[in-house]
Amino acid sequence: MLLVAQSPPLIPDLTHPQELLQFGQQFVQISQWLVLVLMGFGLVLAAIAFALRRDRPIWLDTQLLQYDQLWRGVRHALLILVILTTGFFLCSTLANRYHNWEQAKITQVASSVAGERVEQPTPQVRYKVEEPYTTITYIDGKPTEVEKRRQVDRFLSPSASQAEVKLTQATDPATERLIYQSEFSANYQVTNSLDVSQDFVFEAPPPFGYTLLQDYRVQQNNQRLEPKNQGEYQFPLRLAPGESSQFQVTYKAQGAPRWVYNANGRLLSKFRLTVLADFPNADFASGIIPTETKVEGRGTRFTWVFADNVSVQNPFGVFTATQRFRNTGVLPRLLLLAPAVFLWWLLLLYLAVSGLRLQDVAIAAAVFFACLLCLTYASRFIDAKLAWGVVLWVLFAFAWGLGSQYRGRWGAIVATLGGAVLPVIAFLVPYTGITLGVAGLLSVVWLMQRYFEHRPVQEA
């Protein structure tokens, strides 16, 4: 079944005009309320200062100073709020784009091997026998049992089967899907296991699911047989008790990228099937493990051998194994949680670097989300862990430039390592919880060390 590319549900995407307009309207409304509140508070303080300009009390100077500090904090908070909001919508849009790209890639690979299968059914040997049966008729109004005889079909399985298949792979130029070109050759032995001579019908239907079938030929003891009716591959023969006859079936076919042999649940005796897949990435189908698997050149030879009686319910054979897509959804999950990671990193930077300015916060946001953008698009071509290993040095360079002194620079480096670098790595490696725990422990230990280092000493 093909996978259909779908966006994660209920995730904003700024590439959709309707969602972009809704986001703009909400942002304007919130901004208006914040501006009105701050202007009202500032006008009240300005009116008080103007009224008491000649004899201004000390408490008013204190309030004005606190208002100035509050205004600085509000400016930082507003900038961080704008960054987080914008960053969330940016990351959610990237998550949608990356998710759609992943699903489109999976769909493309799956569609290249999708389609029906070329299925070769096992021949069957049919014969008729008479058996009695009882029916009820009415004589003079009374039910009377009458015994009659009728002919019913019975089936024998070939006493021995030796089949060889060579598969080559090509690409359909119209649909860019893979197709198989198969060469089939099989020898079947039919043995009369009954106690009397019997008329049999050897039925060898052509494969199912092909798009092209040529050179289909059935031979008995090296003599070519022709069907009596077009499209009915039924060939009569008569065998004495214990007598055997050999049949050869050959053809060339073209069809879907899956070739299977279907025993229809019948018993197989002295069965041997050899399939040479002359192309890479071939694997056995339906979970029926081959008796022997051997690499030949750029292909693989699969062999199934059943010396005694065996019943196989599922068709078995060869198909083209596509590349396995592992760790899908990792980048979308990281992008959705990126604003929280940035907020944690910014908190550590506030504690590591004294006097962090608005410009520093804005540049930190630009560097962080630019690194995520590079990671998102670079991971389409190279491994995501390798891409992050190249990009993270930009974060370290920015953190090193924040510190004014040697000790402060290393503090910013530790804050960047525990607040941004390791949390992103945690989402790219299998051990997410352990890596996040290490990042959190590193951050807490560093905060404790910094707290006790700057803790004022109380005099006795």
Side-chain angles (χ1 to χ4, degrees):
M1 183 176 69
L2 296 182
L3 299 177
V4 181
Q6 296 179 351
S7 298
L10 303 178
I11 299 300
D13 192 335
L14 294 183
T15 58
H16 301 158
Q18 183 178 0
E19 296 184 11
L20 184 60
L21 291 176
Q22 292 177 356
F23 167 69
Q25 292 175 357
Q26 294 176 358
F27 179 75
V28 170
Q29 292 177 359
I30 295 174
S31 301
Q32 289 176 351
W33 280 103
L34 289 175
V35 170
L36 290 176
V37 170
L38 294 175
M39 289 180 60
F41 188 64
L43 290 175
V44 170
L45 291 181
I48 296 175
F50 180 77
L52 302 175
R53 63 185 182 278
R54 295 182 180 179
D55 188 16
R56 186 164 59 183
I58 300 177
W59 65 267
L60 182 58
D61 293 334
T62 305
Q63 293 297 325
L64 291 175
L65 180 60
Q66 292 179 355
Y67 173 76
D68 181 66
Q69 295 175 351
L70 177 63
W71 175 245
R72 292 181 182 178
V74 168
R75 285 188 298 173
H76 279 257
L78 285 177
L79 178 61
I80 295 174
L81 180 62
V82 171
I83 291 173
L84 291 178
T85 305
T86 307
F88 170 74
F89 283 99
L90 171 65
C91 291
S92 65
T93 303
L94 288 177
N96 269 330
R97 299 299 96 197
Y98 197 88
H99 174 81
N100 292 336
W101 174 80
E102 279 186 339
Q103 295 301 312
K105 186 177 180 181
I106 293 174
T107 302
Q108 181 183 6
V109 174
S111 63
S112 66
V113 296
E116 300 297 330
R117 60 192 181 188
V118 177
E119 180 178 316
Q120 173 61 48
T122 186
Q124 59 184 8
V125 183
R126 178 171 53 86
Y127 64 97
K128 294 182 179 294
V129 296
E130 287 189 351
E131 65 176 16
Y133 73 99
T134 302
T135 184
I136 297 178
T137 60
Y138 288 87
I139 301 177
D140 296 333
K142 295 181 180 181
T144 303
E145 292 186 356
V146 179
E147 184 175 318
K148 296 183 179 180
R149 303 183 69 84
R150 62 184 176 185
Q151 289 189 340
V152 295
D153 290 334
R154 293 287 185 267
F155 296 93
L156 291 178
S157 298
S159 57
S161 303
Q162 305 285 330
E164 292 186 1
V165 187
K166 181 179 179 181
L167 301 176
T168 56
Q169 187 173 251
T171 303
D172 187 352
T175 61
E176 296 185 354
R177 293 184 176 181
L178 299 178
I179 57 176
Y180 276 2
Q181 296 174 339
S182 58
E183 298 181 9
F184 179 83
S185 175
N187 292 320
Y188 298 101
Q189 178 177 308
V190 178
T191 304
N192 183 7
S193 58
L194 305 178
D195 297 333
V196 296
S197 297
Q198 184 67 47
D199 293 325
F200 297 95
V201 176
F202 179 75
E203 298 180 351
F208 305 121
Y210 64 85
T211 56
L212 175 65
L213 179 66
Q214 59 183 1
D215 300 337
Y216 188 82
R217 179 179 301 178
V218 179
Q219 295 177 317
Q220 181 183 10
N221 299 326
N222 297 324
Q223 297 293 325
R224 184 169 182 175
L225 303 177
E226 296 293 341
K228 293 183 178 180
N229 299 320
Q230 184 68 24
E232 295 182 359
Y233 294 89
Q234 301 176 358
F235 308 97
L237 72 155
R238 184 175 180 83
L239 296 176
E243 185 182 359
S244 299
S245 181
Q246 302 289 333
F247 288 87
Q248 298 82 36
V249 179
T250 58
Y251 65 80
K252 295 179 181 180
Q254 179 177 298
R258 180 184 292 261
W259 190 97
V260 294
Y261 191 92
N262 192 355
N264 295 314
R266 300 184 181 276
L267 290 177
L268 299 176
S269 300
K270 299 180 182 179
F271 178 86
R272 181 184 181 89
L273 172 63
T274 302
V275 180
L276 174 60
D278 193 15
F279 51 86
N281 301 325
D283 204 352
F284 60 91
S286 301
I288 309 300
I289 302 176
T291 307
E292 181 183 3
T293 302
K294 183 180 179 181
V295 177
E296 292 190 9
R298 66 190 187 100
T300 308
R301 182 181 294 274
F302 302 91
T303 304
W304 289 266
V305 178
F306 304 124
D308 209 340
N309 293 336
V310 65
S311 178
V312 183
Q313 295 293 333
N314 297 328
F316 59 97
V318 173
F319 75 104
T320 300
T322 60
Q323 57 178 319
R324 295 184 178 181
F325 290 90
R326 298 178 178 177
N327 301 325
T328 57
V330 173
L331 261 299
R333 181 180 58 175
L334 169 61
L335 290 170
L336 292 178
L337 295 176
V341 175
F342 171 74
L343 184 61
W344 174 246
W345 176 48
L346 195 61
L347 175 62
L348 295 179
L349 287 181
Y350 271 110
L351 298 175
V353 181
S354 58
L356 205 62
R357 302 172 301 172
L358 290 175
Q359 295 89 332
D360 299 330
V361 176
I363 295 175
V367 171
F368 180 79
F369 288 106
C371 290
L372 284 183
L373 186 65
C374 293
L375 171 64
T376 302
Y377 285 96
S379 60
R380 295 189 178 189
F381 309 100
I382 61 176
D383 184 70
K385 296 184 286 294
L386 177 60
W388 184 244
V390 175
V391 171
L392 61 87
W393 297 105
V394 179
L395 291 173
F396 283 138
F398 170 76
W400 184 264
L402 282 178
S404 58
Q405 298 179 355
Y406 182 78
R407 190 176 184 84
R409 290 176 176 176
W410 280 108
I413 290 292
V414 174
T416 303
L417 178 63
V421 174
L422 287 179
V424 173
I425 293 177
F427 291 98
L428 303 179
V429 297
Y431 305 101
T432 302
I434 296 178
T435 310
L436 286 176
V438 171
L441 183 62
L442 175 65
S443 302
V444 170
V445 170
W446 175 77
L447 290 175
M448 292 176 58
Q449 186 271 339
R450 184 174 178 82
Y451 170 74
F452 287 115
E453 181 181 351
H454 296 83
R455 182 182 181 184
V457 180
Q458 297 181 355
E459 296 182 358

